[in-house]
Amino acid sequence: MRTHQKLCLSLLASTSTLLISSNLLAAPVVLELDYDIPVQQNQVAFVPFAGDSVLSPIILNDLSKTELKVTSKDLPQQPRSISELSGTLPVWQSMGIPYLVVGSTRSNRGKVVTDYEVIDIKSGRVIEGKQSLTADNNKESMRYAGHVIADKVYELITGIPGDFSGRIAYIEEVGTGKEKVSRLKVMDADGENAKTITEVAGSIFSPSWSPDGNRIAYSVQRDKSYPVIYVQNVSGGSANALTPFSGSNLSPSFSPDGSKILFSSSFEGSADIYEMSASGGKPRRITNWPSSEVQPSYAPDGKSFVFVSDRSGFNKPQIYRYEFGSGNTTKVSNSGYATSPQFSSDGSQIAFLSGRSAAIMNSGGAITTNLGNTGIDEAPSFSPNGKRVVYASTQGGKGILTIKSLNGGESFGKSGQGTIRSPVWSSSPK
């Protein structure tokens, strides 16, 4: 596809030299050039930041995973700011790429300061002005800074916050029976920088992030004991046992303000949903049906939660919604077998398990996306902006984490040792 455009360029020295500073000659001759400009598949031209070798590859890789088509190849120059485009803007416009990202890094009192600009090439203006970010001069901080800048660039172009600075927690299992070892791990949203948060002899279930991205709640079941829910700071320190009750304590979910936790427990009989302070204390029972109620998950506004119940019949689990204000419960799912519900950040979608397939439905229960049979009975988890999901699967006997775009971006997978389970995406750490 090609588009027809006219460009006016100043002929300043000769017909073969069109781009020279306009203050060299007082009366430039204006030529009207009428020709075709190819419309590029790429939407963003990214110039590696001047003075940097760490941030730019991370930013470029992050943006390449989105629906934005990004290139850093065959660019006409390597500017570090819009001021260096004063004479060459028509050349950039002739490429047909609408956005340009430029920047540079500098040292300041032992820290690294990055100044960058997202330029609307057609108008020649910087979107929301120059941006700056200061980071500690170490690998961890610089990697995180790269994700934060990618988030901001994506937001300036699309108007939607990016999801690269959030992290993904997941469980890695090796061995079986009494030999099983489970690790709770956290990695960056690009699939890199994986770290082990805790390791146990036994099983870890259903990790859940606090809204600020600093804590994780999860269940641990050791040999011949009930599952117990723990809360742990991701940056380190010991885990705090939240539910020392004689029952199956599973599926913690943080409230939107981080002060409370929903969970399921059988310590008073059949499995019911409880709510308690995230720092511990006495739990409050919310459901009290003769059936089993499990897997609660807060809605983003905190006014309701979804959960799973088999009240419709044995082996016919369905997803229901409980309203805190009225105490009313309504059935949400329409499929024959629905479990493991998790909301998107805006509350408009619910990721869940439909039979043996990972799927997404709208808040009314209609399935909008079917991700297929993953080989593991677990649901996907939304990225912070709802544009991607992460889910676990088994391929060729290997555990795989798949990050899939829901709007045309690149999907990719990361393999691990043993079985990978229960990936869940955090919001960006505050």
Side-chain angles (χ1 to χ4, degrees), residues 233-264:
N233 197 304
V234 181
S235 61
S238 59
N240 175 37
L242 203 66
T243 60
F245 314 129
S246 297
S248 292
N249 305 286
L250 295 164
S251 304
S253 172
F254 278 96
S255 61
D257 65 1
S259 67
K260 297 177 182 178
I261 283 182
L262 283 172
F263 65 102
S264 68

Side-chain angles (χ1 to χ4, degrees), residues 114-136:
T114 304
D115 301 313
Y116 62 100
E117 297 166 330
V118 179
I119 301 167
D120 181 326
I121 294 178
K122 184 178 180 180
S123 65
R125 67 178 184 87
V126 178
I127 302 173
E128 292 189 18
K130 183 175 76 172
Q131 308 288 322
S132 291
L133 183 72
T134 301
D136 292 335

Side-chain angles (χ1 to χ4, degrees), residues 226 246-250 263-272 274:
Y226 288 111
S246 297
S248 292
N249 305 286
L250 295 164
F263 65 102
S264 68
S265 180
S266 60
F267 79 97
E268 290 185 297
S270 65
D272 282 303
Y274 294 81

Side-chain angles (χ1 to χ4, degrees), residues 150-351:
D151 274 353
K152 188 63 179 179
V153 169
Y154 182 84
E155 183 176 9
L156 290 171
I157 292 173
T158 67
I160 301 167
D163 55 19
F164 310 109
S165 53
R167 292 174 287 181
I168 296 170
Y170 61 98
I171 299 157
E172 189 177 76
E173 295 176 350
V174 293
T176 58
K178 291 184 178 181
E179 304 301 317
K180 180 190 284 188
V181 173
S182 298
R183 301 180 183 93
L184 176 62
K185 306 187 82 168
V186 171
M187 71 177 185
D188 290 356
D190 60 358
E192 303 297 326
N193 199 31
K195 295 181 177 180
T196 298
I197 303 300
T198 192
E199 179 179 311
V200 303
S203 297
I204 301 175
F205 302 107
S206 54
S208 174
W209 286 96
S210 63
D212 61 6
N214 292 325
R215 293 170 292 161
I216 300 180
Y218 55 93
S219 292
V220 173
Q221 184 172 23
R222 294 179 173 87
D223 188 37
K224 296 179 182 178
S225 65
Y226 288 111
V228 176
I229 293 172
Y230 291 85
V231 175
Q232 185 163 0
N233 197 304
V234 181
S235 61
S238 59
N240 175 37
L242 203 66
T243 60
F245 314 129
S246 297
S248 292
N249 305 286
L250 295 164
S251 304
S253 172
F254 278 96
S255 61
D257 65 1
S259 67
K260 297 177 182 178
I261 283 182
L262 283 172
F263 65 102
S264 68
S265 180
S266 60
F267 79 97
E268 290 185 297
S270 65
D272 282 303
I273 309 299
Y274 294 81
E275 186 179 54
M276 70 185 300
S277 168
S279 58
K282 185 178 180 180
R284 176 175 73 94
R285 191 178 196 168
I286 297 178
T287 64
N288 191 10
W289 297 347
S291 48
S292 293
E293 282 65 59
V294 295
Q295 299 178 334
S297 181
Y298 279 102
D301 62 6
K303 295 179 180 179
S304 65
F305 66 88
V306 287
F307 65 98
V308 174
S309 174
D310 63 359
R311 69 184 301 184
S312 296
F314 177 72
N315 205 28
K316 293 181 180 179
Q318 295 295 318
I319 295 170
Y320 295 80
R321 188 168 192 154
Y322 176 91
E323 303 285 344
F324 281 109
S326 64
N328 291 337
T329 301
T330 54
K331 183 169 167 287
V332 178
S333 58
N334 296 316
S335 60
Y337 183 104
T339 61
S340 305
Q342 291 188 39
F343 277 102
S344 61
S345 58
D346 65 359
S348 66
Q349 300 180 91
I350 299 173

Side-chain angles (χ1 to χ4, degrees), residues 46-52 56-57 60 71-72 75 78-80 101-104:
F46 180 85
V47 177
F49 293 168
D52 163 65
S56 297
L60 184 61
T71 184
S72 60
L75 303 181
Q78 302 284 308
R80 65 180 65 194
V101 180
V102 298
S104 61

